[in-house]
Amino acid sequence: MAGRRTAVLISGGGSNLQALIDATEAGRCAAELALVISNRAAAFGLERAARHGIPAVVVDHRSFASRAAFEALLDRQLREAEIELVCLAGFMRVLTPGFVDAWRDRLLNIHPSLLPAFPGLHTHARALEAGCRVHGCTVHLVRPTLDDGPILVQGVVPVLADDDTERLAARVLEVEHRCYPLALDLLARGEARIEADRVTLPVGVDPLVLHPELAGHALQP
Ligand code: GRF
């Protein structure tokens, strides 16, 4: 059976898009990646889509007079492609409440922090600055407030003594690539249910991805 028709919205390199492509091709994620939309023509993610035969379009926000007009075209592209679920994957445009509400509970985002800590930008630098012992990523359903909404899956990494933002970001990205396919699979299969604006999952489903460097800690008394 074909998976739920899913679009991925990108602005850049698209390593999370690649993780979703790999998981769907391997049968680890019950989604069919049916459309990629980038707001930047130079986004490398477009190349990834092309290599895997996924239809891709550029919708450049700069050629629209208003955010509403930009989003109206996004919405039309999604509906014309009969998209059911939408993944934001490094899509660097803030979406208005009108668009977010139209796709409520069908719109996911991945954010590079353990929300509700560090919404917004520069999350890795802020986690280092705060002296966090752990950091990570969150896949959540999108609500009108930035980086807010019911949490599907979180990935946790240790913050190591000699970390800089690059090393920490790379470690977080490793768990991002495991979290996003898992979260999309849970939603696509209907296993993730939204009750009272929180996600509930069937017993036995683990919504936590731990970085391998945390493994030793699990054995501590
Ligand atoms: C990721 O860190 C993601 O959490 C954030 O933007 C970055 C996108 O990276 N929203 P990529 O384009 O998927 O490589």
Side-chain angles (χ1 to χ4, degrees):
M1 195 183 76
R4 306 276 305 276
R5 288 179 68 80
T6 301
V8 185
L9 272 53
I10 61 167
S11 298
S15 70
N16 277 290
L17 166 64
Q18 188 67 53
L20 292 170
I21 292 172
D22 294 345
T24 49
E25 287 186 351
R28 286 185 279 112
C29 180
E32 177 191 351
L33 300 186
L35 181 65
V36 169
I37 301 180
S38 172
N39 67 311
R40 287 185 51 241
F44 181 65
L46 291 167
E47 174 78 33
R48 298 183 192 270
R51 283 183 197 162
H52 291 267
I54 302 169
V57 292
V58 177
V59 182
D60 187 339
H61 59 282
R62 293 171 306 181
S63 46
F64 295 85
S66 66
R67 233 175 243 278
F70 168 62
E71 290 178 358
L73 185 56
L74 285 185
D75 189 76
R76 202 172 82 208
Q77 297 274 3
L78 295 170
R79 290 181 197 281
E80 280 178 4
E82 299 182 340
I83 294 301
E84 298 168 273
L85 301 172
V86 179
C87 293
L88 306 179
F91 184 65
M92 298 304 283
R93 303 301 300 167
V94 174
L95 295 165
T96 66
F99 183 93
V100 169
D101 287 340
W103 288 89
R104 188 180 172 92
D105 295 344
R106 297 179 296 156
L107 180 60
L108 293 83
N109 182 44
I110 188 159
H111 180 75
S113 79
L114 292 169
L115 290 173
F118 310 128
L121 297 174
H122 311 302
T123 55
H124 309 305
R126 289 155 68 201
L128 287 173
E129 173 67 25
C132 293
R133 298 303 189 199
V134 292
H135 182 45
C137 70
T138 304
V139 183
H140 64 98
L141 292 161
V142 177
R143 294 291 182 259
T145 304
L146 187 70
D147 299 327
D148 180 46
I151 291 170
L152 281 153
V153 171
Q154 288 187 304
V156 186
V157 310
V159 179
L160 303 179
D162 59 350
D163 270 347
D164 56 18
T165 53
E166 286 73 29
R167 271 195 293 271
L168 184 54
R171 196 174 307 121
V172 171
L173 214 46
E174 285 179 49
V175 289
E176 289 190 36
H177 296 161
R178 291 166 56 203
C179 285
Y180 220 162
L182 171 61
L184 178 58
D185 186 56
L186 292 173
L187 200 64
R189 284 185 195 283
E191 293 200 334
R193 297 189 173 279
I194 300 110
E195 289 159 15
D197 224 29
R198 307 241 319 239
V199 175
T200 59
L201 297 168
V203 175
V205 172
D206 187 359
L208 198 54
V209 170
L210 301 183
H211 191 275
E213 290 201 50
L214 279 172
H217 294 270
L219 299 173
Q220 283 183 4

